[in-house]
Amino acid sequence: MKLQRVNRRALALGALAVSGALALTACGSDDTGGNSGSGDSTATANSSIKCGDAKGQLQASGSSAQKNAIDAWMKAYTASCKGVQINYNPTGSGAGITAFLQGQTAFAGSDSPLEAEEIADSKKICSGGQGIDLPMVVGPIAVGFNVPGVDTLALDAATLAKIFDNKITNWNDEAIKKLNPEAKLPDLKIQAFHRSDESGTTQNFTKYLKAAAPGDWKYEAEKSWQAEGGQSASGSSGVAQQVKQVSGAISYFELSYAKDIKTVDIKTKATEPVKATAENATKAISEAKVTGTGKDLALELNYQPSAEGAYPITLVTYEIVCDKGNKSETLPAVKSFLGYIASEDGQAQLGDAGYAPIPDEIITKVRSTIESLA
């Protein structure tokens, strides 16, 4: 898979050179590509944003999952720091890391932390340093369903694994009844939808299944769907639309796509099933462990949280940057912009954009690391 991953990134980079425009969709972007603009003239300047010596253009690319958050941040930031133009291209995590490792961007967004070989490669462009992972955005992955007559549904990891592996095929199955004794479950075929495109959401959803139900989910957590059977649609918007339209459907997608769709409450080790909300996702991330070394803040998530109200199916997006060896002409803008999005004000904007903020104990470390960038 590592060779395939490298090849995919090489192809993505080649496409960038040919097209002259960053419009790729690695990791299953639902966006059509192109630049996220440098702000909105109607935005109001925020006196708490520290511009410092920041100026010029800041090029970045990567995760499409954080695009709406980046757009909101850029709007606020550039209203205050008018000397900075930020171009963020939602090319997908893989292409974003490739561009960063080629020295084309000041930072990258990725839904997965850097791998060991990528950290080694980063030392070529981070003079005297290396690439590090800064967790910045939490995105709850909701499981939406369309079952006539059922408004509330609770499922655990094992039952979800069997549903998406085509082992449970009807909504009145005994396993589902046991978890929902008061629900009037119909004799209706389950229509399980997964992403047809490569997707960071797929990878993070299946990471949860593999970690929380290892006896029932035998597949590796990859960006491409590994299990057989089921139906597919392109993009989070595509699978969400299928859930809306198809009776008996179930699928997974970012919480921001769950408007007008009923979502599953996830049974964890807590006493009550947990609803998919940004607040509950933050509670789960509070149990994450920092596994990176030095200034790297890569996280290991706990997919079986015991805390009440901790939602276990989450996606963390990292901003990847050099700890040392950043280009002198972009370093002030990098520290200024990343400092803002990690600030209390920056993190507070995430809720309105359908995301969750990084817990205080982790974001505090992020802030100090940003201050030390050189």
Side-chain angles (χ1 to χ4, degrees):
M1 286 302 302
K2 290 183 178 179
L3 179 58
Q4 293 175 350
R5 184 177 181 183
V6 171
N7 287 341
R8 284 197 300 269
R9 289 182 182 169
L11 288 172
L13 190 59
L16 289 176
V18 172
S19 67
L22 298 174
L24 302 177
T25 54
C27 290
S29 169
D30 293 315
D31 188 77
T32 56
N35 288 353
S36 294
S38 58
D40 189 317
S41 60
T42 62
T44 303
N46 185 338
S47 60
S48 68
I49 296 177
K50 300 176 182 178
C51 303
D53 296 327
K55 60 183 179 180
Q57 290 193 354
L58 197 60
Q59 302 291 340
S61 65
S63 166
S64 61
Q66 70 168 353
K67 180 183 181 298
N68 292 336
I70 289 284
D71 285 349
W73 283 329
M74 287 194 306
K75 180 178 178 180
Y77 178 81
T78 54
S80 295
C81 303
K82 298 185 183 299
V84 181
Q85 179 183 356
I86 302 172
N87 298 306
Y88 182 83
N89 294 275
T91 56
S93 299
I97 291 174
T98 296
F100 175 75
L101 294 178
Q102 293 291 333
Q104 296 184 4
T105 55
F107 70 90
S110 175
D111 302 329
S112 298
L114 291 169
E115 295 184 353
E117 65 269 27
E118 292 168 337
I119 293 176
D121 287 345
S122 72
K123 295 179 181 180
K124 299 174 184 176
I125 62 155
C126 300
S127 179
Q130 66 175 52
I132 57 173
D133 302 286
L134 302 177
M136 204 70 74
V137 180
V138 177
I141 300 175
V143 180
F145 69 95
N146 180 351
V147 182
V150 178
D151 293 324
T152 302
L153 185 70
L155 297 173
D156 57 16
T159 306
L160 277 170
K162 292 173 185 176
I163 287 173
F164 281 94
D165 196 23
N166 208 33
K167 297 295 191 297
I168 293 178
T169 59
N170 203 286
W171 280 111
N172 65 355
D173 188 275
E174 288 301 320
I176 302 177
K177 284 183 178 180
K178 185 177 181 180
L179 291 167
N180 301 273
E182 297 181 3
K184 296 182 179 179
L185 296 164
D187 182 7
L188 177 67
K189 179 178 174 58
I190 295 174
Q191 307 285 348
F193 285 87
H194 58 264
R195 292 277 290 269
S196 60
D197 53 325
E198 289 195 347
S199 163
T201 310
T202 292
Q203 186 175 44
N204 282 277
F205 177 63
T206 53
K207 277 183 181 179
Y208 160 73
L209 295 179
K210 188 170 180 64
D216 297 292
W217 191 258
K218 304 296 186 181
Y219 310 97
E220 293 301 317
E222 303 287 352
K223 292 183 177 70
S224 58
W225 187 256
Q226 301 294 301
E228 297 181 0
Q231 301 182 63
S232 65
S234 179
S236 289
S237 57
V239 291
Q241 189 63 28
Q242 292 299 318
V243 173
K244 284 184 179 182
Q245 295 178 344
V246 178
S247 179
I250 185 171
S251 191
Y252 57 91
F253 34 77
E254 291 84 4
L255 182 62
S256 59
Y257 291 91
K259 295 177 181 178
D260 303 320
I261 297 177
K262 300 168 189 173
T263 60
V264 172
D265 299 340
I266 303 298
K267 185 73 176 73
T268 66
K269 292 180 179 180
T271 57
E272 295 293 331
V274 185
K275 294 186 178 298
T277 69
E279 180 182 2
N280 289 345
T282 298
K283 291 179 182 178
I285 297 298
S286 296
E287 297 189 21
K289 296 180 180 179
V290 175
T291 57
T293 58
K295 295 181 179 180
D296 186 83
L297 297 175
L299 300 177
E300 180 180 324
L301 305 184
N302 179 9
Y303 292 106
Q304 301 184 72
S306 57
E308 296 297 326
Y311 186 77
I313 317 177
T314 56
L315 178 153
V316 174
T317 298
Y318 300 88
E319 312 309 333
I320 296 171
V321 67
C322 294
D323 60 351
K324 297 179 181 178
N326 289 281
K327 295 178 180 178
S328 59
E329 62 268 28
T330 57
L331 178 59
V334 168
K335 295 179 70 171
S336 175
F337 180 65
L338 294 185
Y340 161 62
I341 69 179
S343 71
E344 185 175 344
D345 285 348
Q347 291 286 297
Q349 290 205 41
L350 289 172
D352 291 339
Y355 304 92
I358 300 294
D360 289 342
E361 58 271 25
I362 298 175
I363 201 66
T364 299
K365 295 178 181 178
V366 172
R367 291 168 186 158
S368 62
T369 300
I370 292 170
E371 290 177 0
S372 71
L373 297 179

